[in-house]
Amino acid sequence: MKKRQDDAAETEPVDRQLSMRERARKARHEAYVRAKEQRKNDPRTLQLKEKAKQLRREASARAKERRKNDPEQIAFKEKLKKERQEATKLAKAHRKAAASEAKKAERARKDARLNVTFVGRA
């Protein structure tokens, strides 16, 4: 019996009138959407948001200035700069050594090939 009732409920036309509960739910949702839109466009809220944004920017600028003039931060930046320079020098030396080794190996192969051809002809 239940199956028949469920089937009947599924075939029910969609254009039926909403029940009292459904109308109340829809009205609550519409009120929520309207209130949300009003809060979003409220001039006081917009003003508060803009003020908060300005305060964040000012605080960030003060912190940046403080970091720029702080002796500890300056020393730390110098230390990092020196470390980067040392790492660059070391990497350059490694690349140079590897290139010279490759060059030496290539030169040795060419010499060996030339020696074989000259020895073979002689």
Side-chain angles (χ1 to χ4, degrees):
M1 251 352 209
K2 280 191 175 182
K3 273 190 171 180
R4 289 182 191 158
Q5 287 176 351
D6 290 342
D7 290 342
E10 288 175 5
T11 60
E12 194 175 342
V14 179
D15 295 334
R16 66 178 171 74
Q17 287 187 346
L18 298 176
S19 69
M20 184 90 97
R21 177 182 284 176
E22 290 169 331
R23 283 189 305 231
R25 182 175 183 266
K26 188 174 181 180
R28 280 195 308 272
H29 178 69
E30 288 172 358
Y32 162 76
V33 170
R34 276 195 310 273
K36 186 177 175 184
E37 190 68 27
Q38 286 175 350
R39 281 194 307 271
K40 186 174 128 185
N41 296 328
D42 184 26
R44 289 177 298 172
T45 306
L46 295 174
Q47 185 180 12
L48 285 173
K49 284 182 180 179
E50 193 60 39
K51 187 176 180 181
K53 191 189 303 182
Q54 188 64 32
L55 288 173
R56 278 196 309 272
R57 286 182 180 160
E58 290 172 2
S60 176
R62 282 194 307 269
K64 185 177 181 182
E65 191 65 29
R66 197 170 47 244
R67 282 192 307 269
K68 195 187 326 184
N69 296 329
D70 185 20
E72 286 181 17
Q73 285 292 324
I74 292 170
F76 181 68
K77 284 182 183 178
E78 286 296 322
K79 180 183 156 202
L80 286 178
K81 185 177 177 181
K82 285 180 185 176
E83 287 176 358
R84 280 196 305 270
Q85 287 174 346
E86 288 298 320
T88 303
K89 285 180 185 177
L90 189 61
K92 186 176 180 181
H94 283 306
R95 283 195 308 270
K96 196 171 183 180
S100 68
E101 287 296 322
K103 209 176 219 182
K104 283 180 186 175
E106 183 67 27
R107 203 173 285 141
R109 278 195 299 272
K110 283 182 181 178
D111 288 343
R113 198 174 15 178
L114 287 175
N115 285 338
V116 168
T117 53
F118 288 137
V119 171
R121 287 189 180 179

